[in-house]
Amino acid sequence: MKVLYFAWLRQRIGVAMEEIELPDDVDDVGDLVGWLTAKGPGYAKGFAEPQVIRAAVNFEYVPFDHKLSNTDEVAFFPPVTGG
Amino acid sequence: MIKVQQDNFDVGAELADLTAGNYGIGGVVSFVGLVRDLIDVDGRDAALRAMTLEHYPAMTEKKLAEIEAEARSRWPLEASLIIHRYGRLEPGEQIVFVACAAAHRQAAFDACNFLMDWLKTDAPFWKLEETDAGEGWVDSRESDDEAAARWQIKPDRAAE
């Protein structure tokens, strides 16, 4: 699956986009956050306060209990500040 | 119509295009958002050098189109336009433009207000501010969520 990061989350993690193979023990968005957090120090810093992170799957905002499939495009970002 | 672009826009030309040939339009209401030169940094005024807008292109187009469709389902609009810029913008530059045209003014006013409130909370943009002291990402504002909530749709946010 494709995973994208935006704003300060992108800066902390150090990449804007990456392809990952959905791990067997990752069922939903919250699981993916947990799995990514363990991936390295930048990820741990980015996801240190998961309650402030928003998620989108296939361009729709989703809650952390949203189920994932390996063909999804997942994005993580802080609350939006456009306009 | 939705336009997400780096380039500036000409408000007069956009309004002329929006209403061209449609004599059913009795009024147009528009809003232009500009980059201010003073921002609040930890409770103090700071001079803004520039602001960089980052966005999620595929999702931005989709969310803006949904917001526009929602406005058009709620009010009898003859025409509507949302322009949102991205990239680095300096004080005084235009960031966002919303215009709604209708037979009567009330629908145009209300729809324009709705579109601005709603795009603040729903469109995936993030602002990075540059001052002499450095850079910082703009925090989301509760007042924006409240402004959107008064249109009686729950902000579509994860983990809330």
Side-chain angles (χ1 to χ4, degrees), chain B residues 62-105:
Chain B
K62 182 168 189 279
K63 298 314 284 185
L64 290 180
E66 285 173 13
I67 296 164
E68 184 185 42
E70 179 67 28
R72 297 193 74 136
S73 76
R74 290 182 178 217
W75 291 279
L77 301 181
E78 292 287 334
S80 54
L81 172 64
I82 303 173
I83 304 176
H84 207 306
R85 293 178 69 192
Y86 61 90
R88 190 174 184 276
L89 303 174
E90 294 185 349
E93 286 199 72
Q94 305 184 125
I95 309 174
V96 63
F97 182 64
V98 167
C100 293
H104 303 287
R105 74 178 184 282

Side-chain angles (χ1 to χ4, degrees), chain A residues 10-11 60-62 73 81, chain B residues 54 56 62 122 125 137 158:
Chain A
R10 170 182 54 73
Q11 290 180 323
E60 284 300 327
Y61 296 104
V62 295
E73 176 166 322
T81 55
Chain B
E54 176 171 332
Y56 181 5
K62 182 168 189 279
D122 223 38
F125 283 92
W137 292 93

Side-chain angles (χ1 to χ4, degrees), chain A:
Chain A
M1 62 167 50
K2 204 187 255 189
V3 185
L4 295 91
Y5 310 100
F6 292 94
W8 53 256
L9 190 59
R10 170 182 54 73
Q11 290 180 323
R12 289 178 192 178
I13 289 171
V15 295
M17 195 269 279
E18 60 186 328
E19 293 278 351
I20 64 164
E21 200 57 39
L22 185 64
D24 286 342
D25 55 346
V26 169
D27 199 33
D28 62 22
V29 172
D31 295 341
L32 182 60
V33 168
W35 185 84
L36 288 168
T37 301
K39 213 170 165 231
Y43 293 88
K45 199 174 164 213
F47 287 109
E49 294 178 88
Q51 72 277 7
V52 303
I53 303 291
R54 306 289 181 244
V57 173
N58 304 328
F59 321 114
E60 284 300 327
Y61 296 104
V62 295
F64 274 26
D65 62 1
H66 181 91
K67 298 274 186 275
L68 292 173
S69 92
N70 203 35
T71 55
D72 286 337
E73 176 166 322
V74 184
F76 292 106
F77 41 79
V80 302
T81 55

